[in-house]
Amino acid sequence: SDLSSWVLQWRASGTAPSGPRRAGSGAATPARRVVNPGASAPPRRSPVGNPALMRASWPGSPGATRPRNAVMKAAVLASIAGVAALVSLQRALPFAAPLSNTSKRGLAHPRTSASPTTGLAAGHAASVPGRGTSTGFSTGGSLGLVASCLLCAAGARLLRSAKGCGAGSAGRSLAVQLCAHAAGIKIIGTGSCAPKTCVTNDDLTDILDTNDEWISQRTGIRRRHVLGPDESLESISAEAAKRALEKANIPAEDIGLVILATSTPDDLFGSATEIAAQLGAKNAVAFDMTAACSGFVFAMVTASQFFRSGSVKNAVIIGADCLARWVDWTDRGTCVLFGDGAGAVVIQATKPEDDCLLGFELGSDGTGKCNLGLPSKATPIDLGGGHTGSLGAYGTIGMNGKEVFRFATTRVPEVLSRLMAENNVTNDDIDWLLLHQANRRIMDSAAKRLKLPKDRILCNLDEYGNTSAGSIPLMLDEAVRDGRVKPGQLVACMGFGAGLSWGGMLIRA
């Protein structure tokens, strides 16, 4: 074949030196590069796009160089050709009988009727039919096997001869590059922003039959920030993201992804693109995500998948809501709970072993949707010709407080306990408990069931109220900036709310 001819010519040509000789053969030992222990280590660089790292001197031929990837290509092609020979000879020769129990699933490992297994080996259990074993090879199968062995041996010889010239390390670099797409994430910047207008519980006594004691004892809320008529969700979201970028010390042009977690965009078609434009993130794809009070956790997990695939290196994740615009200010059971605010984080790709997202769990239960929602409404409109259409609008927030409280106090410790067990984390390992800021009693209940002291609870509910998707990143930024949350500390986060939906995650600061 052309491949075999190329390998033979390459090995016989005068320009291609032989592999390294064994010690004692009389040949001079090839010089090796010694790194000065006292000098700083050179920066790690990928060999891709760097000819200096893709080429290596070959021992036995001073100055002669060959691309490392050429050696690797020859070895891989030889091995592939060996496997292909086995398959082609089995199919081409008239007396070649296929292996028994053959299924059309492509080239795969044998799947036998072994007893059930766990872990990686479970993929080869008998539950998936596939190639079985044969009682004996036919002549065609034997010829194919011989050809396969010869060609694979040629590939192995090329690899062995390449070790002395550094091609082995190039092969490892290639493997690292293929796996490098499975990147972890790290938080490198946080930011937050809330409207300047602050409404206290005492202020609300002017319009409601309530008082500060009644509200604070039942919820833990004393104040909330609300957007004015000339302010927008986009403005506070963009400001929070700008502060996060400043903290991260990276330009907006380096951002490849912007996700806005919100249920209350300024534009029903979405606000993320406008926010990205305000940031100057001209190279980013931007979109909104709606998961109510669980939104920020959902957005973080969604963004992490872009990093796992290697398609993004830097991202801005924003959680923001302005639910104070969507409450009935005559209903003291709901209007006292909500405020407006935004929080943001900048996340960056890192090595998988340094991943700050240790684990997560997302969930939803639509049967509980009736307990918390902001439904749309339609007003009939005459379209002529006897046709009736509708004019869309939204109402105000409706909530069954008792059911939502029961849901939260049950689901939060359940999910976080499961996450801790799955990731071998004990309550002593948890430095901070960061829950969606909805109700102080929910936080205290969760901490008690998780056996965490109350002083590990991160809470700013008294100042901002329930800011929905904005509550977790807003609280995180505050705790990072005042020094409570320190690098390396473990934070158990949990969002929960309308949908009903919930999302928990363990993150390393």
Side-chain angles (χ1 to χ4, degrees), residues 22-250:
R22 297 179 181 178
S25 61
T29 303
R32 297 183 180 181
R33 186 166 64 95
V34 179
V35 179
N36 181 3
S40 59
R44 297 181 62 184
R45 298 177 62 189
S46 169
V48 176
N50 188 347
L53 294 179
M54 293 178 68
R55 302 176 71 88
S57 294
W58 283 60
S61 179
T65 61
R66 281 191 180 275
R68 294 180 177 182
N69 59 349
V71 182
M72 297 305 301
K73 184 186 296 184
V76 172
L77 288 177
S79 300
I80 293 175
V83 177
L86 173 61
V87 178
S88 61
L89 282 173
Q90 277 190 287
R91 295 180 177 178
L93 296 178
F95 45 81
L99 295 175
S100 63
N101 300 326
T102 300
S103 68
K104 296 183 179 180
R105 293 180 179 271
L107 294 172
H109 292 291
R111 300 177 187 270
T112 65
S113 57
S115 58
T117 55
T118 59
L120 294 176
H124 303 290
S127 58
V128 181
R131 287 189 183 272
T133 57
S134 176
T135 56
F137 281 109
S138 66
T139 305
S142 300
L143 290 175
L145 180 61
V146 172
S148 174
C149 292
L150 290 175
L151 286 167
C152 288
R157 181 174 176 79
L158 284 172
L159 285 174
R160 287 196 302 271
S161 66
K163 285 182 179 179
C165 67
S169 60
R172 289 191 293 273
S173 297
L174 176 61
V176 169
Q177 291 165 41
L178 293 176
C179 296
H181 292 301
I185 63 171
K186 62 179 178 180
I187 299 175
I188 61 172
T190 63
S192 60
C193 182
K196 294 181 180 180
T197 300
C198 180
V199 180
T200 66
N201 291 344
D202 289 332
D203 293 332
L204 293 178
T205 61
D206 295 340
I207 62 172
L208 295 170
D209 181 16
T210 190
N211 57 67
D212 175 69
E213 183 180 6
W214 187 89
I215 298 172
S216 59
Q217 285 185 353
R218 286 166 173 77
T219 66
I221 301 170
R222 294 186 179 278
R223 292 171 292 278
R224 74 279 301 146
H225 295 248
V226 299
L227 289 173
D230 298 328
E231 296 177 293
S232 68
L233 183 82
E234 291 173 358
S235 63
I236 61 173
S237 298
E239 183 59 33
K242 288 177 182 177
R243 294 173 183 177
L245 284 170
E246 290 173 359
K247 185 77 172 178
N249 194 30
I250 64 172

Side-chain angles (χ1 to χ4, degrees), residues 378-392:
T379 303
I381 184 172
D382 182 16
L383 300 180
H387 304 294
T388 301
S390 59
L391 184 63

Side-chain angles (χ1 to χ4, degrees), residues 248-505:
N249 194 30
I250 64 172
E253 292 83 356
D254 289 351
I255 299 300
L257 175 69
V258 175
I259 301 180
L260 171 65
T262 187
S263 299
T264 54
D266 294 330
D267 188 325
L268 195 60
F269 290 162
S271 294
T273 54
E274 172 63 24
I275 294 170
Q278 291 186 33
L279 295 177
K282 59 184 180 180
N283 297 315
V285 59
F287 59 88
D288 290 33
M289 174 173 286
T290 300
C293 305
S294 308
F296 179 75
V297 176
F298 275 51
M300 281 286 289
V301 173
T302 299
S304 72
Q305 309 310 308
F306 284 85
F307 286 84
R308 304 287 190 260
S309 69
S311 57
V312 172
K313 293 183 179 179
N314 298 290
V316 173
I317 313 302
I318 307 165
D321 268 306
C322 53
L323 289 179
R325 285 182 169 177
W326 299 96
V327 297
D328 179 359
W329 285 102
T330 65
D331 179 11
R332 71 172 187 171
T334 56
C335 71
V336 300
L337 303 175
F338 298 98
D340 304 332
V345 298
V346 177
I347 56 179
Q348 189 173 70
T350 186
K351 294 182 294 184
E353 59 267 28
D354 296 331
D355 195 359
C356 82
L357 181 59
L358 275 64
F360 67 86
E361 179 178 321
L362 309 178
S364 60
D365 179 10
T367 62
K369 179 180 180 294
C370 57
N371 294 318
L372 179 57
L374 203 171
S376 63
K377 57 183 180 180
T379 303
I381 184 172
D382 182 16
L383 300 180
H387 304 294
T388 301
S390 59
L391 184 63
Y394 283 89
T396 56
I397 295 174
M399 182 175 66
N400 183 335
K402 290 183 178 180
E403 288 301 319
V404 173
F405 183 85
R406 184 181 293 111
F407 153 73
T409 53
T410 301
R411 190 71 67 185
V412 170
E414 175 187 288
V415 171
L416 289 182
S417 294
R418 188 159 51 241
L419 273 176
M420 291 165 63
E422 291 173 351
N423 291 276
N424 298 318
V425 171
T426 68
N427 51 2
D428 291 333
D429 297 324
I430 301 295
D431 295 296
W432 297 104
L433 178 63
L434 175 52
L435 304 182
H436 163 53
Q437 309 287 295
N439 187 298
R440 179 69 201 205
R441 291 187 296 164
I442 294 176
M443 299 182 198
D444 291 342
S445 174
K448 182 179 180 180
R449 291 188 59 180
L450 293 170
K451 297 181 181 179
L452 294 172
K454 290 184 179 181
D455 59 7
R456 294 192 202 174
I457 300 174
L458 292 174
C459 179
N460 60 6
L461 184 66
D462 59 330
E463 176 64 28
Y464 298 102
N466 182 342
T467 57
S468 192
S471 68
I472 291 178
L474 199 157
M475 179 68 255
L476 179 62
D477 176 56
E478 181 180 308
V480 168
R481 290 178 183 268
D482 66 21
R484 276 178 289 174
V485 173
K486 298 176 174 58
Q489 290 189 328
L490 185 59
V491 183
C493 295
M494 181 85 182
F496 52 89
L500 295 172
S501 66
W502 61 91
M505 61 182 179

